[in-house]
Amino acid sequence: MPSGPFNPTASDRTPRVTIAVDGVEYTQVKEYSYESNILNLGDPFRVTFGSVDGDYGSGIALGQLVNLYVTAPAVEGGQKVEKLRGRVTGLEMASDMASGTNLSVTGADLGWHLTNTPGPLWLNLKRATWEKLLKDVLDASWKFQGVRFENDTNRKAKVVRGREMVTLGIQRANNFKAVLPPIQFEPGQMVADVLVHYARLGKMLVNVSADGYLQIFNPRYDTPALYTFHFHESDSADRRKNNVKSVRRSEAIDGKYTDVICVGTVVLPPRFQNVENPNRGKFLTQQRTNLVVNCDPAPAAQFQWFRLWAST
């Protein structure tokens, strides 16, 4: 499959994917899947390409740096746009008489390091800033390009459609110096567990940009929508606006709770702990919502779950 700019007169307007592994580009991609979720660390991808004489892609190894590019006629004039920078996390070779030999490469963005690496055991930080925390937990071998406290640069790089997108926000450099609550890594705690927890306390998200920056930022709600999806019925007057081929809608009860309990402790703990009451100095508040799940043939059923949020 060719790489590079699209011919604007070509009839094939299908987006194309290429990957570069440690600088070596592979263009003959037959199938691909790619996820981009602003709430995730380690966005996954998978590409499959044909192998010539069982030899194509033999230079790809687990753990290598990989870049994933998408080329589409409607984006940047058909130029390659980097969508992900990460690591090769899986390889699978398959061969049969019908389709020959194919190599599937799976990977994830650099956030994979954060979700799969335990933090420094018993590292204890008091009055630490984001700058200090990140310096202590990020390893240079992970190849993060740096840290950003905004997402505007990433949005521009990933979704601009042949025009400059006006950046309304500014980099929140002050967050870099913000003092965090006391931090200690316990056995089994991944780096991502701590980063995401303390980011949530500041109402921030944590992810990795397309060009390999760790991002810790407040989401913005003042930016205009860049796309509109249309999927109207065949007899609708707006059916000519349709730009979606198929739709699937799914719902799940995961993450929906009827009772939310907020647990906290006093700023100054009791001078003498009461052996009869080990929870002295702790408090909680509770909020209840109604979650009704329709159960056939029963008319309705009330389900109750509890979610704990710890705060100090």
Side-chain angles (χ1 to χ4, degrees), residues 12-31:
D12 183 7
R13 311 292 286 178
T14 305
R16 306 181 186 187
V17 166
T18 60
I19 63 171
V21 181
D22 277 348
V24 179
E25 189 171 27
Y26 298 87
T27 62
Q28 303 296 326
V29 175
K30 300 169 67 174
E31 298 177 353

Side-chain angles (χ1 to χ4, degrees), residues 291-307:
L291 173 64
V292 178
V293 181
N294 292 326
C295 300
D296 191 17
Q302 182 80 24
F303 289 79
Q304 295 185 3
W305 287 271
F306 295 90
R307 187 174 195 176

